[in-house]
Amino acid sequence: MKKILLACAGGFSTSMLVERMKESARAKGIEVMIDAVAESDIADQTPFDIIMLGPQMGHAEGDLAAEYPDIPVTTIDMMDYGMMNGDKVLDTAIELMEKGA
């Protein structure tokens, strides 16, 4: 089972998006674990297969990619984040995990 980690400044604004992503995964028959955490708690969540950052955390993408070179790190598209588009964010996560990018 793959683990998707969403991170934002406090870990709160991503919680609704996590629920939408879980709904999408259930509807598609995809087994994944999805958690939302504050940036400061990322290291406590290992192992995970991808880190997805809230748009407000995009500045940390390079540092996190260097810290976790073996997993994809990406910033969630601002429009998808704002619209809480769980389908699109889940699809992006799966695509990146499959590519290993």
Side-chain angles (χ1 to χ4, degrees):
M1 179 179 303
K2 297 287 187 181
K3 183 174 180 183
I4 300 170
L5 190 64
L6 274 62
C8 67
F12 303 110
S13 63
T14 53
S15 61
M16 184 186 301
L17 182 56
V18 165
E19 291 309 311
R20 298 264 176 99
M21 291 173 71
K22 287 179 178 179
E23 289 171 13
S24 177
R26 278 191 295 273
K28 294 176 180 185
I30 299 170
E31 290 189 38
V32 292
M33 283 183 55
I34 309 169
D35 290 313
V37 298
E39 177 188 17
S40 59
D41 295 331
I42 291 172
D44 299 332
Q45 303 301 311
T46 57
F48 40 80
D49 298 294
I50 187 170
I51 300 171
M52 302 188 82
L53 304 173
Q56 74 277 22
M57 295 296 304
H59 66 277
E61 184 175 335
D63 291 340
L64 287 168
E67 189 172 341
Y68 300 98
D70 298 330
I71 64 165
V73 177
T74 190
T75 302
I76 299 167
D77 178 81
M78 189 179 297
M79 183 70 79
D80 293 335
Y81 190 85
M83 299 293 290
M84 293 287 143
N85 189 341
D87 282 331
K88 182 71 171 29
V89 176
L90 178 66
D91 289 345
T92 299
I94 291 168
E95 179 181 323
L96 290 172
M97 286 186 291
E98 287 175 353
K99 278 194 216 176

